[in-house]
Amino acid sequence: MLKLATILDNPGEPTTGTRYRDPRHLRELGYNGLVIYETTGLSGVESPSVIGSGELRRWVTQQFEQVQQTAERAAEAGLAVYLCYDVLTLARDVVDRAVRSFTCRNRPAMLCPASDAALARSREALESLLARVPQAAGVVLRFGDNDAARLPHLVGNDIYQPHCASCSQLGRADRIITVFEQFHDLVVGRLGKRLIVRAWNVKPGGLHDTAELCRRIAPRLPGEAGDDRFVLSFKFTQADFWRYQQWNEASLSLDRRPILYELQCQREFEGKGGIPNWQAPLWRDGCDADEPGTRGLAHLTDKVNLAGVWAWVRGGGWGGPFVKNEAWIDANVYSVPRLADEPTMDLAALARQWVEQRLGVTDAAVAAVLERILEHSPQVIRRGFYIGPLARQRGNPWHPNADWIQDDMLDVDAAWRIIQRLPDDQLDEVVREKKLAAEQTSADRAALQQLINDANARTLDPLVNTLMYAESFFEALEHLIEGLVAYRGYLKRSEGALADACRQHLYAAQSQWNHHTQRHASLPGAATAFRESRLWDLTQTILAELEDTRLNEPHEAG
């Protein structure tokens, strides 16, 4: 059973400080493999010598050296090493010297899936990379997404996007199978290593989210069906790491091909681990949109040839919040290998083990509160970060929260558009779910805070601070949504009571936002603050409008 771990460091962002960079620590937690993500930035680069710019060449040289060092440490710790690699990606200087050979017609920045030269050069670069890292047990190949646009020394794109006179004749299945065959021949056939192919596609309609496409390519996949040297990897969700998803249906449509599930430990759309967000219940029992008892690791033994799990122990998404205390993330990191070994494991026992073994908490009362916080967290996150009526009525699983919260950005205009669009009879639910998220977080914070003493303060103080951080954030959202709902009602009925309610809640939202950004985000252990787009502009505009209306109302003579 594969139990892989990776840390995703984004180009141009601060390197994540985490204990999981020590491969011995991962091994002690029960992981048996390390996926090195940094090699995505070396995709299509045979050696630093192909890079023309001296500064970029030095950076690429450093990346090769760091990857070699990471692989050596991982191997010494007993972890199998896997290298991430993007197709189609090539070194920009290589492409510039033979643009017509590699790119789509009249699109010199787009590598063409029909280009034999591009695929051959990509294979050669991968073979060179594997020769530099002899510890590598295999490759994790990505073809439906690409980081090349963020790296000045690379040119690259996913294989779905290009559409020129040469590649327009290739359908999705043909493009996929061509890549699979080419790299299976190299990695499995010639080098005897394992090839893990990520099904992920960044836009709808690819292998990851289309069961029909999986069924079409299944008979054409390279190698024997039972050969675990060729593995297909899916995020466990139907689309991205959101709520209001089904378990990935496409992953269940590939006959008995070995399947790996990707599990994100700091959920990028839900606070990135700065707020409690225990994923074990979703991983074990399935997602929100699944029928009970039909999905999840505990229910898949007869539905899929499970090759293992792959934990994104840190990283995913872009920007903040940047987490200072990774305790809540660790609850997920700890859970992954245990659920891989025992998919039906009792969740209460799993939470208790984490509290005792990872936090060192043995006091029964404190342990019980911490376990309840984990238990409550999936519901709190769903109520706080999503708008239930909107998510349920969307016709596809992509962007169920309409991006009103994305990474660390609260888009208040998006929230207002959602409130305007929903039917009147659904607005009470929207207000109630935000209120419940704030109330539960407040109750959990109070329960833990009252148990702090001199002996446990070092462990519990930072956790209480993360709950205060979450509490002010959710209270800001609660009052913002309730204020916008009241404003919508006021625009329709011009009732003074609605205007008063709107004023009260918008002022409270502004106050709680200040608490979150200026006070609670600076507490020891708390993550960096969420940011906002047009919170102040929109709320102040509404408040000014209500004030003007109040001043212009006729008054009775005294």
Side-chain angles (χ1 to χ4, degrees), residues 98-420:
V99 172
R100 291 185 179 180
S101 298
F102 299 127
T103 64
C104 285
R105 295 184 186 182
N106 301 317
R107 301 186 71 182
M110 184 74 67
L111 298 182
C112 184
S115 168
D116 292 336
L119 283 169
R121 195 68 185 247
S122 180
R123 279 172 34 122
E124 291 167 8
L126 176 56
E127 187 169 9
S128 176
L129 175 62
L130 290 169
R132 288 172 176 270
V133 189
Q135 300 87 354
V139 174
V140 176
L141 194 73
R142 180 173 67 168
F143 63 91
D145 195 1
N146 203 285
D147 286 346
R150 301 178 183 272
L151 295 164
H153 64 289
L154 296 179
V155 174
N157 44 265
D158 65 60
I159 66 169
Y160 296 113
Q161 184 181 1
H163 191 81
C164 72
S166 297
C167 63
S168 60
Q169 304 304 313
L170 292 175
R172 291 175 300 168
D174 291 333
R175 295 177 186 221
I176 292 166
I177 291 299
T178 297
V179 169
F180 285 12
E181 288 177 343
Q182 291 271 335
F183 286 87
H184 182 275
D185 177 68
L186 170 65
V187 176
V188 179
R190 286 179 49 196
L191 301 178
K193 298 179 184 292
R194 175 177 279 133
L195 177 62
I196 300 171
V197 179
R198 293 193 65 200
W200 172 245
N201 41 267
V202 72
K203 295 179 181 179
L207 193 65
H208 185 271
D209 65 331
T210 311
E212 178 272 334
L213 180 58
C214 286
R215 286 190 287 270
R216 276 201 288 133
I217 72 161
R220 302 172 59 187
L221 291 173
E224 298 297 325
D227 187 353
D228 67 359
R229 293 178 301 169
F230 180 69
V231 178
L232 292 122
S233 178
F234 291 80
K235 295 181 180 181
F236 80 102
T237 44
Q238 189 175 1
D240 213 339
F241 290 120
W242 289 297
R243 300 294 294 272
Y244 291 96
Q245 302 280 298
Q246 291 181 332
W247 192 271
N248 189 287
E249 186 69 28
S251 70
L252 308 178
S253 306
L254 288 156
D255 299 329
R256 298 303 295 172
R257 291 287 181 166
I259 301 297
L260 184 74
Y261 283 113
E262 301 172 27
L263 313 174
Q264 191 177 45
C265 295
Q266 57 169 139
R267 296 265 285 203
E268 62 194 87
F269 302 105
E270 301 163 359
K272 296 185 178 172
I275 296 171
N277 188 6
W278 199 34
Q279 292 295 295
L282 301 180
W283 297 338
R284 192 192 74 166
D285 297 323
C287 306
D288 302 301
D290 289 324
E291 293 185 15
T294 63
R295 294 290 187 267
L297 295 173
H299 310 284
L300 290 178
T301 53
D302 61 341
K303 298 180 177 69
V304 69
N305 180 6
L306 184 62
V309 291
W310 172 13
W312 300 20
V313 295
R314 292 296 305 269
W318 297 89
F322 296 104
V323 175
K324 302 166 192 172
N325 183 305
E326 60 186 1
W328 302 122
I329 300 169
D330 189 67
N332 292 324
V333 176
Y334 179 84
S335 299
V336 171
R338 282 147 190 83
L339 285 175
D341 290 336
E342 189 181 345
T344 60
M345 184 175 186
D346 179 71
L347 293 178
L350 180 58
R352 193 173 311 115
Q353 287 180 16
W354 175 74
V355 169
E356 293 175 356
Q357 296 179 21
R358 300 294 285 175
L359 296 183
V361 172
T362 55
D363 180 276
V366 176
V369 169
L370 289 166
E371 291 161 23
R372 285 197 297 273
I373 291 171
L374 291 183
E375 179 186 348
H376 297 156
S377 65
Q379 185 78 297
V380 169
I381 291 294
R382 188 173 72 165
R383 287 169 170 167
F385 281 86
Y386 297 84
I387 293 176
L390 170 77
R392 290 195 298 270
Q393 73 184 27
R394 292 178 73 83
N396 66 68
W398 292 85
H399 303 276
N401 69 349
D403 297 338
W404 80 292
I405 302 175
Q406 180 85 347
D407 293 308
D408 61 352
M409 179 61 70
L410 168 65
D411 185 338
V412 177
D413 280 337
W416 175 226
R417 286 193 297 271
I418 293 167
I419 295 301
Q420 289 175 292

Side-chain angles (χ1 to χ4, degrees), residues 413 416 487 502 506 510 534-549:
D413 280 337
W416 175 226
Y487 180 58
C502 178
L506 293 187
Q510 292 178 344
R534 299 231 333 125
L535 183 145
W536 297 99
D537 291 344
L538 183 60
T539 56
Q540 284 300 117
T541 297
I542 294 172
L543 290 168
E545 176 189 329
L546 295 177
E547 181 64 14
D548 288 344
T549 302

Side-chain angles (χ1 to χ4, degrees), residues 417-482:
R417 286 193 297 271
I418 293 167
I419 295 301
Q420 289 175 292
R421 211 165 69 207
L422 290 172
D424 287 340
D425 61 0
Q426 294 180 352
L427 295 176
D428 285 347
E429 180 187 348
V430 178
V431 170
R432 185 170 60 255
E433 66 183 3
K434 299 294 167 287
K435 186 182 293 292
L436 289 172
E439 288 176 349
Q440 186 64 70
T441 304
S442 178
D444 287 340
R445 186 265 308 155
L448 188 61
Q449 195 167 27
Q450 70 180 3
L451 295 175
I452 294 177
N453 56 43
D454 291 342
N456 62 29
R458 186 174 179 180
T459 298
L460 299 190
D461 272 339
L463 301 183
V464 168
N465 290 343
T466 67
L467 293 169
M468 293 175 68
Y469 165 97
E471 184 179 353
S472 58
F473 178 66
F474 287 139
E475 287 183 351
L477 298 184
E478 172 199 345
H479 288 294
L480 172 67
I481 294 298
E482 194 156 5

